[in-house]
Amino acid sequence: MDLLIWLIIIPLFTIFSIGIFNYINKKFVLPVVFTSAILQSGIAIYYIINRNNLLPQLYNVGNWQRDIAINLSIDNFTLVIFVLIAIMPLLSLLYSITEIQRKPAKFYLLINVLLLGASGMVMTADLFNFYVFFEIASISSYALVAFRDEDISLEAAFEYLIIGSIGSVFLLLGIVLTYQATGTLNMAMIPGRMAEIPVITRQVLMSLFIIGLGVKFALVPLHAWMPDAYQGSPISYIVLSSGLVVNVYFFVLVRILFIFFGVEFFQETIFTNLIVGWGVLSMLFGHGAALQQDNLKRLFAYSTIAQLGYVIIAFGLGTEAGIVAGSFHLISHALLKGAIFFTAGNLHKATGSYQIREMKGMAEKMPVMSIIFVLMLIAMVGIPPSNIFVSKWLILSAAVEAGYLLPAFMIVFGSFLSLGYYLRPVITIYTGYTGFPGKLPLLKFNEYFPTLLLAGICLIIGLFPGYILNIIDTAPEFLLEQSNFIIHILGG
Amino acid sequence: MPAITMNPGFILILVGILSIFMKNNKQRFILSMAGLATSLFIILGLPEGERLLTFVFLDFEIILLEVDVISRNIALVFVIFGAGAFIYSYKFCKKKEFPLVNFYLGFSFMILFVGDFISFFVAWEIITVSAFFLIYDINDAVRQHTAQYYILMHVSGGLMLLWGIILHVTESGSIILTMPERGLIFFLISIAVKLAFVGVHTWLPRTYANIPFHISVILSAFTSKIGVYGLYRIIELDNMLIAYFGAFSAILGVILAMTHSDIRKILSYHIVSQIGYMIIGIGIGSELGIVGGSFHIINHILYKGLLFIMAGTVIYSFGYENLENLGGLWKKVPITFVTSLIAALSIAGFPFFNGYLSKTMIKHSTDNQIIYYGMMIAGIGTALSFIKIMYFGFIREGNNPPMKKKPLFSMRVSMVFLAGIMMTMALLPEQMESLFNISTGINYFSAYEVWNGVQPILIGLALFPILQKTIEPHPEQPIEPDFYCDICNSFIEFDNKVSKIHTGDMVRYVSWVLFALVLLLLNFYVTSLF
């Protein structure tokens, strides 16, 4: 069954129906939003469960010839993101019910635009449509960052807008140059023609793609927008961003680099070393900057930057084990970081502030949330039996096998640094303090359920990593072998 | 007897989970004792030398049960001391401490019987985390600082272990717990942190002297011995270099111990020193050496535990632990005095006490003169510092601190129980040897051996009047800043600088983006030149 087009149709229709229902009767907005979110998750889960007999699948919009058509494709590598599409949006929307009290319809609308862009970016198989979806997702992100209408949000949104637009310009330049050089925008036809153009042109193209997309997944030093944006935006958006959207940008960059240029080209141009080194830099910088943050959201923003550094290292190795390890870390970091942000949001309910020093003594007021928070932070360092332990194990052994001993050791060192800054909120929360104002609001079901569910999923993945590894272990086939992807899109 | 093939650690972990739901300390205590009894029963019936309870995790075979003589004997003494510690401390334990102590004990048991690196690492790290929560206190800034120091130290050690395991596994392709083929140094660093080798021992006195006495009793008995056990599993060749390091640690430990005057600080530095003896035994690597080393672990758990119990009783009854404030206690707490005298004589290696047996075994396992004289010097130091504790704390007249509370009955029971077991072990050397499946042929109670054993103590006694002025008690700080704190502070300064460059200035951020692009292009240009 060709369900994949529905991942674009459903959010598109939801966007319009939210507008209409908001005008007719506001009561219908929530059911519409959740029906659409459940349907989207359902489609993703459907593809994950039936991966063996459905994948790879191609949807040809309008039934044109394959080389000029708008192709939507899904293969085993796409499943990495589908795992996140199945989980994160639904939980994030569930959490937003209480968090977004002002203009909820507008928020749901923007979130659906974002989801539309993200799903489109993952599935599209030509660069033109990719750029369209990329801009859809970006612009809705700018609006979502500004959503809270506070000084910091507006400033952050402006910052994000400027830096993001510069990134988009470079990306567009890259796409235009690709079209100039190869004469096509079909992602399956580019690789064959790319091999014929001069090396220096290919390298320029590569740089433009890296900068254009690197801005979006906060590659150091293109990361500057992220801490500010996270500090200013609602938790529901942060979870969706760090749990899905950032990963989608990274995913697309990986696909572009691997499919267009090929692994052999990386090895010829010492590109592998560059990317691994850059990942190490990104990781150390993120961990280093996080140590001194006073704001919990900023702290975790830097932590996200650092954790994506691990993923960059793993994919940069260019080996099968590296890709599996990187995909695993992408998923497990997204889930755990989502849970941590939800918990931070729950703790925030008591103090009304995300400043770490104002969370003093939370543990006595919210014992269960606090202990979950602490355990998840310790899990984030990679202490077993967490899912991060498994992913670190995979990344480390992939890196050592590929001969990158120093970067692998830096991963170990980075984990140690991360423990240093995770301890700060822990110690502040677990400090005796009596001067708490007033009575605490009770947590609602939709606030603690997403937290507990995500934490539970993380623990299960940590104990039984096979569930996720079975899904992603065929992912490298469509990255390392360009021919697999080309045959899949263009046919035999 | 029907044997249950089960890792005894799981029983205690289960007990830990159950004890969360118990109503009062008595129920939790009974449950914990039942857990210990069950695991004792299981340990006695475990088959030796087989690899059991295996399953597959990430393409590797996990072995959760692999028993040998040494791990079984250490587990037995863990049970005995665990029971003693529970009897001693159940009245003071807070609600959160029972589950944590049970987890801590459970994973300590588990690590003794696992047969592969992954589960070894898992248990290793969870021991650290549960100890962190035991040390941590919500209302005490000193304990918070200590806990932070503890977990940073131990997790850095644990990450070294992970790194070593990764190196070994990628080289050999198997995770069976054995002598590593690559990265031995990282295993050794990790173990050195866990067993508080001189140089990375700083967490140990800092921790054990600052936490409540009943927790220090439990932590001091197990943590560093797990490290020694890890050393035994990982070093399989005879390695004299390690034995020299052990002798070095033994001597430096006692020197540091003599300069302190908090009872628990002295005892902590003595752990460092006594661990040195175990390292010597394991480093020598002959059968006698390994048995001597692991027998010393067993003895050490008992007498050092008993000494920490003594320290706890003194703190409980008098409220002081600096020797400066104590004196003449032997009349007021006679049972404590007698049992701690037994423990002190044991640790000093006096004949007819249990430390003597294992020290003699280690001495007999090598002809190396450096090791012999190293142990001799360490023995003199040990004797000196215990004469110091006994003299300034119990015997000398002078300060006469008033007794606030009489030691509880349960405390006295546990002291007598442990002292009784120690004396039984000390007087039955042949049975002890048969427990280790070894026959040494050493005649422990011959005049020659006894004279050898008494020597360091006599020298210590002779030196004590001379050195009395230099090692006299003095007031102490709870936390002394050290080298590792300086490293952390310089990190924090560096990170301050890193976060200061995020000024919020848009021009700066945009220029970073452009800079990155230029750098990337330049990099490609430069690499294409060659």
PDB file of all heavy atoms in Angstrom, chain A residues 159 166 223-224 288 291-292 302 389 400 416 427 430 432, chain B residues 121 136 138-139 144 152 170 492 495-496 502 506 509-510 524:
ATOM      1  N   GLU A 159      17.501  36.099  15.533  1.00  0.00           N
ATOM      2  CA  GLU A 159      18.828  35.532  15.349  1.00  0.00           C
ATOM      3  C   GLU A 159      18.776  34.283  14.462  1.00  0.00           C
ATOM      4  O   GLU A 159      19.521  34.134  13.494  1.00  0.00           O
ATOM      5  CB  GLU A 159      19.342  35.137  16.722  1.00  0.00           C
ATOM      6  CG  GLU A 159      20.803  35.354  16.962  1.00  0.00           C
ATOM      7  CD  GLU A 159      21.087  35.199  18.434  1.00  0.00           C
ATOM      8  OE1 GLU A 159      21.017  34.053  18.902  1.00  0.00           O
ATOM      9  OE2 GLU A 159      21.329  36.215  19.115  1.00  0.00           O
ATOM     10  N   ILE A 166      20.891  32.713   6.038  1.00  0.00           N
ATOM     11  CA  ILE A 166      22.209  32.638   5.393  1.00  0.00           C
ATOM     12  C   ILE A 166      22.510  31.198   4.996  1.00  0.00           C
ATOM     13  O   ILE A 166      22.974  30.923   3.883  1.00  0.00           O
ATOM     14  CB  ILE A 166      23.284  33.205   6.339  1.00  0.00           C
ATOM     15  CG1 ILE A 166      23.084  34.709   6.447  1.00  0.00           C
ATOM     16  CG2 ILE A 166      24.673  32.898   5.830  1.00  0.00           C
ATOM     17  CD1 ILE A 166      23.950  35.343   7.480  1.00  0.00           C
ATOM     18  N   HIS A 223      26.408  27.043  15.378  1.00  0.00           N
ATOM     19  CA  HIS A 223      25.414  26.614  16.356  1.00  0.00           C
ATOM     20  C   HIS A 223      24.792  27.770  17.109  1.00  0.00           C
ATOM     21  O   HIS A 223      23.911  27.565  17.919  1.00  0.00           O
ATOM     22  CB  HIS A 223      26.116  25.739  17.380  1.00  0.00           C
ATOM     23  CG  HIS A 223      27.107  26.531  18.163  1.00  0.00           C
ATOM     24  ND1 HIS A 223      28.335  26.858  17.641  1.00  0.00           N
ATOM     25  CD2 HIS A 223      27.009  27.119  19.366  1.00  0.00           C
ATOM     26  CE1 HIS A 223      28.973  27.605  18.523  1.00  0.00           C
ATOM     27  NE2 HIS A 223      28.201  27.780  19.577  1.00  0.00           N
ATOM     28  N   ALA A 224      25.286  28.990  16.885  1.00  0.00           N
ATOM     29  CA  ALA A 224      25.029  30.069  17.840  1.00  0.00           C
ATOM     30  C   ALA A 224      23.548  30.313  18.098  1.00  0.00           C
ATOM     31  O   ALA A 224      23.167  30.754  19.171  1.00  0.00           O
ATOM     32  CB  ALA A 224      25.691  31.342  17.350  1.00  0.00           C
ATOM     33  N   GLY A 288      31.959  21.670  26.638  1.00  0.00           N
ATOM     34  CA  GLY A 288      32.659  22.717  27.365  1.00  0.00           C
ATOM     35  C   GLY A 288      31.765  23.895  27.676  1.00  0.00           C
ATOM     36  O   GLY A 288      31.728  24.376  28.800  1.00  0.00           O
ATOM     37  N   LEU A 291      29.057  23.606  30.549  1.00  0.00           N
ATOM     38  CA  LEU A 291      29.453  23.533  31.957  1.00  0.00           C
ATOM     39  C   LEU A 291      29.067  24.776  32.737  1.00  0.00           C
ATOM     40  O   LEU A 291      28.799  24.717  33.921  1.00  0.00           O
ATOM     41  CB  LEU A 291      30.969  23.323  32.015  1.00  0.00           C
ATOM     42  CG  LEU A 291      31.545  22.658  33.241  1.00  0.00           C
ATOM     43  CD1 LEU A 291      30.931  21.311  33.424  1.00  0.00           C
ATOM     44  CD2 LEU A 291      33.030  22.508  33.075  1.00  0.00           C
ATOM     45  N   GLN A 292      29.037  25.927  32.077  1.00  0.00           N
ATOM     46  CA  GLN A 292      28.821  27.166  32.818  1.00  0.00           C
ATOM     47  C   GLN A 292      27.434  27.768  32.616  1.00  0.00           C
ATOM     48  O   GLN A 292      27.214  28.914  32.968  1.00  0.00           O
ATOM     49  CB  GLN A 292      29.893  28.183  32.414  1.00  0.00           C
ATOM     50  CG  GLN A 292      31.205  27.938  33.087  1.00  0.00           C
ATOM     51  CD  GLN A 292      31.065  27.967  34.588  1.00  0.00           C
ATOM     52  OE1 GLN A 292      30.582  28.913  35.178  1.00  0.00           O
ATOM     53  NE2 GLN A 292      31.470  26.879  35.241  1.00  0.00           N
ATOM     54  N   TYR A 302      23.226  23.074  24.590  1.00  0.00           N
ATOM     55  CA  TYR A 302      24.630  22.765  24.339  1.00  0.00           C
ATOM     56  C   TYR A 302      24.874  21.267  24.377  1.00  0.00           C
ATOM     57  O   TYR A 302      25.672  20.727  23.622  1.00  0.00           O
ATOM     58  CB  TYR A 302      25.521  23.476  25.365  1.00  0.00           C
ATOM     59  CG  TYR A 302      25.742  24.921  25.034  1.00  0.00           C
ATOM     60  CD1 TYR A 302      25.203  25.923  25.820  1.00  0.00           C
ATOM     61  CD2 TYR A 302      26.484  25.279  23.928  1.00  0.00           C
ATOM     62  CE1 TYR A 302      25.397  27.254  25.508  1.00  0.00           C
ATOM     63  CE2 TYR A 302      26.681  26.605  23.609  1.00  0.00           C
ATOM     64  CZ  TYR A 302      26.136  27.584  24.403  1.00  0.00           C
ATOM     65  OH  TYR A 302      26.330  28.890  24.082  1.00  0.00           O
ATOM     66  N   PHE A 389      24.404   4.072  26.800  1.00  0.00           N
ATOM     67  CA  PHE A 389      25.537   3.152  26.976  1.00  0.00           C
ATOM     68  C   PHE A 389      25.719   2.289  25.739  1.00  0.00           C
ATOM     69  O   PHE A 389      26.825   2.142  25.213  1.00  0.00           O
ATOM     70  CB  PHE A 389      25.331   2.278  28.212  1.00  0.00           C
ATOM     71  CG  PHE A 389      26.253   1.089  28.259  1.00  0.00           C
ATOM     72  CD1 PHE A 389      27.615   1.261  28.372  1.00  0.00           C
ATOM     73  CD2 PHE A 389      25.754  -0.197  28.169  1.00  0.00           C
ATOM     74  CE1 PHE A 389      28.467   0.177  28.409  1.00  0.00           C
ATOM     75  CE2 PHE A 389      26.594  -1.287  28.199  1.00  0.00           C
ATOM     76  CZ  PHE A 389      27.958  -1.097  28.322  1.00  0.00           C
ATOM     77  N   VAL A 400      37.065   2.581  16.873  1.00  0.00           N
ATOM     78  CA  VAL A 400      38.331   1.880  17.102  1.00  0.00           C
ATOM     79  C   VAL A 400      38.607   0.912  15.955  1.00  0.00           C
ATOM     80  O   VAL A 400      39.736   0.795  15.481  1.00  0.00           O
ATOM     81  CB  VAL A 400      38.301   1.157  18.463  1.00  0.00           C
ATOM     82  CG1 VAL A 400      39.525   0.277  18.615  1.00  0.00           C
ATOM     83  CG2 VAL A 400      38.277   2.164  19.577  1.00  0.00           C
ATOM     84  N   PHE A 416      32.936  12.164  30.211  1.00  0.00           N
ATOM     85  CA  PHE A 416      33.331  12.585  31.551  1.00  0.00           C
ATOM     86  C   PHE A 416      32.958  14.047  31.780  1.00  0.00           C
ATOM     87  O   PHE A 416      32.377  14.398  32.807  1.00  0.00           O
ATOM     88  CB  PHE A 416      34.832  12.374  31.716  1.00  0.00           C
ATOM     89  CG  PHE A 416      35.357  12.873  33.012  1.00  0.00           C
ATOM     90  CD1 PHE A 416      34.988  12.249  34.190  1.00  0.00           C
ATOM     91  CD2 PHE A 416      36.177  13.970  33.075  1.00  0.00           C
ATOM     92  CE1 PHE A 416      35.452  12.717  35.395  1.00  0.00           C
ATOM     93  CE2 PHE A 416      36.649  14.436  34.275  1.00  0.00           C
ATOM     94  CZ  PHE A 416      36.276  13.803  35.442  1.00  0.00           C
ATOM     95  N   ILE A 427      22.730  18.605  41.866  1.00  0.00           N
ATOM     96  CA  ILE A 427      23.066  19.016  43.227  1.00  0.00           C
ATOM     97  C   ILE A 427      22.189  20.185  43.661  1.00  0.00           C
ATOM     98  O   ILE A 427      21.774  20.266  44.813  1.00  0.00           O
ATOM     99  CB  ILE A 427      24.565  19.332  43.310  1.00  0.00           C
ATOM    100  CG1 ILE A 427      25.289  17.988  43.290  1.00  0.00           C
ATOM    101  CG2 ILE A 427      24.915  20.107  44.560  1.00  0.00           C
ATOM    102  CD1 ILE A 427      26.749  18.059  43.427  1.00  0.00           C
ATOM    103  N   TYR A 430      18.799  18.731  44.531  1.00  0.00           N
ATOM    104  CA  TYR A 430      18.858  17.982  45.786  1.00  0.00           C
ATOM    105  C   TYR A 430      19.622  18.777  46.844  1.00  0.00           C
ATOM    106  O   TYR A 430      20.665  18.356  47.319  1.00  0.00           O
ATOM    107  CB  TYR A 430      19.503  16.623  45.557  1.00  0.00           C
ATOM    108  CG  TYR A 430      18.530  15.622  45.006  1.00  0.00           C
ATOM    109  CD1 TYR A 430      18.291  15.538  43.656  1.00  0.00           C
ATOM    110  CD2 TYR A 430      17.825  14.789  45.859  1.00  0.00           C
ATOM    111  CE1 TYR A 430      17.375  14.640  43.156  1.00  0.00           C
ATOM    112  CE2 TYR A 430      16.922  13.889  45.366  1.00  0.00           C
ATOM    113  CZ  TYR A 430      16.698  13.824  44.013  1.00  0.00           C
ATOM    114  OH  TYR A 430      15.792  12.946  43.523  1.00  0.00           O
ATOM    115  N   GLY A 432      18.764  21.045  50.429  1.00  0.00           N
ATOM    116  CA  GLY A 432      17.696  21.407  51.344  1.00  0.00           C
ATOM    117  C   GLY A 432      17.357  22.885  51.245  1.00  0.00           C
ATOM    118  O   GLY A 432      18.234  23.732  51.193  1.00  0.00           O
TER     119      GLY A 432
ATOM    120  N   PHE B 121      31.379  -4.469  33.581  1.00  0.00           N
ATOM    121  CA  PHE B 121      31.328  -3.011  33.507  1.00  0.00           C
ATOM    122  C   PHE B 121      30.014  -2.482  34.070  1.00  0.00           C
ATOM    123  O   PHE B 121      29.990  -1.490  34.797  1.00  0.00           O
ATOM    124  CB  PHE B 121      31.508  -2.572  32.053  1.00  0.00           C
ATOM    125  CG  PHE B 121      31.399  -1.092  31.863  1.00  0.00           C
ATOM    126  CD1 PHE B 121      32.426  -0.263  32.262  1.00  0.00           C
ATOM    127  CD2 PHE B 121      30.270  -0.528  31.312  1.00  0.00           C
ATOM    128  CE1 PHE B 121      32.328   1.108  32.107  1.00  0.00           C
ATOM    129  CE2 PHE B 121      30.168   0.838  31.153  1.00  0.00           C
ATOM    130  CZ  PHE B 121      31.205   1.648  31.550  1.00  0.00           C
ATOM    131  N   TYR B 136      25.581  10.959  49.121  1.00  0.00           N
ATOM    132  CA  TYR B 136      24.918  12.248  48.939  1.00  0.00           C
ATOM    133  C   TYR B 136      23.946  12.523  50.071  1.00  0.00           C
ATOM    134  O   TYR B 136      23.246  11.635  50.536  1.00  0.00           O
ATOM    135  CB  TYR B 136      24.166  12.243  47.607  1.00  0.00           C
ATOM    136  CG  TYR B 136      23.789  13.619  47.168  1.00  0.00           C
ATOM    137  CD1 TYR B 136      24.659  14.363  46.408  1.00  0.00           C
ATOM    138  CD2 TYR B 136      22.589  14.179  47.555  1.00  0.00           C
ATOM    139  CE1 TYR B 136      24.339  15.631  46.030  1.00  0.00           C
ATOM    140  CE2 TYR B 136      22.263  15.461  47.179  1.00  0.00           C
ATOM    141  CZ  TYR B 136      23.137  16.180  46.416  1.00  0.00           C
ATOM    142  OH  TYR B 136      22.826  17.447  46.047  1.00  0.00           O
ATOM    143  N   ILE B 138      21.008  15.548  51.290  1.00  0.00           N
ATOM    144  CA  ILE B 138      20.306  16.721  50.782  1.00  0.00           C
ATOM    145  C   ILE B 138      20.613  17.963  51.606  1.00  0.00           C
ATOM    146  O   ILE B 138      20.545  19.078  51.118  1.00  0.00           O
ATOM    147  CB  ILE B 138      18.806  16.392  50.719  1.00  0.00           C
ATOM    148  CG1 ILE B 138      18.075  17.378  49.839  1.00  0.00           C
ATOM    149  CG2 ILE B 138      18.181  16.318  52.083  1.00  0.00           C
ATOM    150  CD1 ILE B 138      16.769  16.858  49.362  1.00  0.00           C
ATOM    151  N   ASN B 139      21.003  17.776  52.878  1.00  0.00           N
ATOM    152  CA  ASN B 139      21.170  18.942  53.746  1.00  0.00           C
ATOM    153  C   ASN B 139      22.606  19.243  54.120  1.00  0.00           C
ATOM    154  O   ASN B 139      22.848  20.080  54.971  1.00  0.00           O
ATOM    155  CB  ASN B 139      20.368  18.742  55.036  1.00  0.00           C
ATOM    156  CG  ASN B 139      18.891  18.811  54.762  1.00  0.00           C
ATOM    157  OD1 ASN B 139      18.448  19.617  53.950  1.00  0.00           O
ATOM    158  ND2 ASN B 139      18.122  17.946  55.386  1.00  0.00           N
ATOM    159  N   GLN B 144      27.688  16.678  49.923  1.00  0.00           N
ATOM    160  CA  GLN B 144      27.399  16.884  48.493  1.00  0.00           C
ATOM    161  C   GLN B 144      28.694  17.012  47.712  1.00  0.00           C
ATOM    162  O   GLN B 144      28.856  16.421  46.650  1.00  0.00           O
ATOM    163  CB  GLN B 144      26.548  18.136  48.320  1.00  0.00           C
ATOM    164  CG  GLN B 144      25.136  17.936  48.785  1.00  0.00           C
ATOM    165  CD  GLN B 144      24.354  19.222  48.760  1.00  0.00           C
ATOM    166  OE1 GLN B 144      24.840  20.253  48.349  1.00  0.00           O
ATOM    167  NE2 GLN B 144      23.120  19.151  49.224  1.00  0.00           N
ATOM    168  N   LEU B 152      32.804  11.723  40.244  1.00  0.00           N
ATOM    169  CA  LEU B 152      33.661  12.147  39.136  1.00  0.00           C
ATOM    170  C   LEU B 152      34.888  11.246  39.038  1.00  0.00           C
ATOM    171  O   LEU B 152      35.261  10.786  37.971  1.00  0.00           O
ATOM    172  CB  LEU B 152      34.081  13.603  39.319  1.00  0.00           C
ATOM    173  CG  LEU B 152      33.003  14.622  38.974  1.00  0.00           C
ATOM    174  CD1 LEU B 152      33.439  16.013  39.346  1.00  0.00           C
ATOM    175  CD2 LEU B 152      32.666  14.568  37.495  1.00  0.00           C
ATOM    176  N   THR B 170      37.701  -5.039  20.382  1.00  0.00           N
ATOM    177  CA  THR B 170      37.934  -4.892  18.944  1.00  0.00           C
ATOM    178  C   THR B 170      39.157  -5.687  18.513  1.00  0.00           C
ATOM    179  O   THR B 170      39.241  -6.125  17.378  1.00  0.00           O
ATOM    180  CB  THR B 170      38.116  -3.420  18.551  1.00  0.00           C
ATOM    181  OG1 THR B 170      38.999  -2.826  19.489  1.00  0.00           O
ATOM    182  CG2 THR B 170      36.806  -2.688  18.549  1.00  0.00           C
ATOM    183  N   ILE B 492      36.855  24.765  34.664  1.00  0.00           N
ATOM    184  CA  ILE B 492      35.726  25.680  34.789  1.00  0.00           C
ATOM    185  C   ILE B 492      36.105  27.043  34.238  1.00  0.00           C
ATOM    186  O   ILE B 492      35.317  27.699  33.551  1.00  0.00           O
ATOM    187  CB  ILE B 492      35.280  25.755  36.252  1.00  0.00           C
ATOM    188  CG1 ILE B 492      34.622  24.430  36.644  1.00  0.00           C
ATOM    189  CG2 ILE B 492      34.332  26.899  36.490  1.00  0.00           C
ATOM    190  CD1 ILE B 492      34.361  24.279  38.101  1.00  0.00           C
ATOM    191  N   ASP B 495      35.966  26.894  30.560  1.00  0.00           N
ATOM    192  CA  ASP B 495      34.593  26.866  30.065  1.00  0.00           C
ATOM    193  C   ASP B 495      33.919  28.211  30.200  1.00  0.00           C
ATOM    194  O   ASP B 495      33.090  28.587  29.372  1.00  0.00           O
ATOM    195  CB  ASP B 495      33.806  25.806  30.812  1.00  0.00           C
ATOM    196  CG  ASP B 495      34.377  24.446  30.550  1.00  0.00           C
ATOM    197  OD1 ASP B 495      34.828  24.224  29.423  1.00  0.00           O
ATOM    198  OD2 ASP B 495      34.386  23.624  31.463  1.00  0.00           O
ATOM    199  N   ASN B 496      34.308  28.959  31.237  1.00  0.00           N
ATOM    200  CA  ASN B 496      33.808  30.317  31.352  1.00  0.00           C
ATOM    201  C   ASN B 496      34.165  31.109  30.119  1.00  0.00           C
ATOM    202  O   ASN B 496      33.345  31.828  29.562  1.00  0.00           O
ATOM    203  CB  ASN B 496      34.466  30.984  32.558  1.00  0.00           C
ATOM    204  CG  ASN B 496      33.497  31.088  33.698  1.00  0.00           C
ATOM    205  OD1 ASN B 496      32.298  31.128  33.463  1.00  0.00           O
ATOM    206  ND2 ASN B 496      33.999  31.112  34.899  1.00  0.00           N
ATOM    207  N   HIS B 502      29.884  33.685  23.486  1.00  0.00           N
ATOM    208  CA  HIS B 502      28.524  33.776  22.954  1.00  0.00           C
ATOM    209  C   HIS B 502      27.891  35.054  23.494  1.00  0.00           C
ATOM    210  O   HIS B 502      27.203  35.043  24.507  1.00  0.00           O
ATOM    211  CB  HIS B 502      27.686  32.581  23.370  1.00  0.00           C
ATOM    212  CG  HIS B 502      28.173  31.305  22.790  1.00  0.00           C
ATOM    213  ND1 HIS B 502      29.210  30.595  23.326  1.00  0.00           N
ATOM    214  CD2 HIS B 502      27.768  30.615  21.705  1.00  0.00           C
ATOM    215  CE1 HIS B 502      29.430  29.524  22.601  1.00  0.00           C
ATOM    216  NE2 HIS B 502      28.581  29.509  21.602  1.00  0.00           N
ATOM    217  N   MET B 506      24.871  39.504  16.730  1.00  0.00           N
ATOM    218  CA  MET B 506      24.527  38.826  15.483  1.00  0.00           C
ATOM    219  C   MET B 506      25.678  38.832  14.487  1.00  0.00           C
ATOM    220  O   MET B 506      25.938  37.835  13.815  1.00  0.00           O
ATOM    221  CB  MET B 506      23.315  39.529  14.878  1.00  0.00           C
ATOM    222  CG  MET B 506      22.731  38.808  13.728  1.00  0.00           C
ATOM    223  SD  MET B 506      21.775  37.470  14.336  1.00  0.00           S
ATOM    224  CE  MET B 506      20.461  38.388  15.048  1.00  0.00           C
ATOM    225  N   TYR B 509      28.015  36.086  15.152  1.00  0.00           N
ATOM    226  CA  TYR B 509      27.527  34.744  14.798  1.00  0.00           C
ATOM    227  C   TYR B 509      27.570  34.531  13.294  1.00  0.00           C
ATOM    228  O   TYR B 509      27.979  33.470  12.809  1.00  0.00           O
ATOM    229  CB  TYR B 509      26.089  34.547  15.304  1.00  0.00           C
ATOM    230  CG  TYR B 509      25.961  34.492  16.802  1.00  0.00           C
ATOM    231  CD1 TYR B 509      24.714  34.534  17.414  1.00  0.00           C
ATOM    232  CD2 TYR B 509      27.083  34.363  17.614  1.00  0.00           C
ATOM    233  CE1 TYR B 509      24.586  34.479  18.787  1.00  0.00           C
ATOM    234  CE2 TYR B 509      26.973  34.320  18.977  1.00  0.00           C
ATOM    235  CZ  TYR B 509      25.716  34.376  19.566  1.00  0.00           C
ATOM    236  OH  TYR B 509      25.604  34.328  20.917  1.00  0.00           O
ATOM    237  N   VAL B 510      27.132  35.558  12.553  1.00  0.00           N
ATOM    238  CA  VAL B 510      27.126  35.418  11.093  1.00  0.00           C
ATOM    239  C   VAL B 510      28.549  35.262  10.580  1.00  0.00           C
ATOM    240  O   VAL B 510      28.816  34.457   9.689  1.00  0.00           O
ATOM    241  CB  VAL B 510      26.430  36.636  10.448  1.00  0.00           C
ATOM    242  CG1 VAL B 510      26.615  36.609   8.958  1.00  0.00           C
ATOM    243  CG2 VAL B 510      24.963  36.623  10.800  1.00  0.00           C
ATOM    244  N   PHE B 524      39.797  22.428   1.468  1.00  0.00           N
ATOM    245  CA  PHE B 524      39.734  21.619   0.247  1.00  0.00           C
ATOM    246  C   PHE B 524      40.784  22.086  -0.755  1.00  0.00           C
ATOM    247  O   PHE B 524      41.417  21.285  -1.427  1.00  0.00           O
ATOM    248  CB  PHE B 524      38.340  21.699  -0.373  1.00  0.00           C
ATOM    249  CG  PHE B 524      37.365  20.807   0.307  1.00  0.00           C
ATOM    250  CD1 PHE B 524      36.120  21.262   0.686  1.00  0.00           C
ATOM    251  CD2 PHE B 524      37.693  19.483   0.582  1.00  0.00           C
ATOM    252  CE1 PHE B 524      35.228  20.431   1.314  1.00  0.00           C
ATOM    253  CE2 PHE B 524      36.797  18.658   1.207  1.00  0.00           C
ATOM    254  CZ  PHE B 524      35.566  19.132   1.574  1.00  0.00           C
TER     255      PHE B 524
END
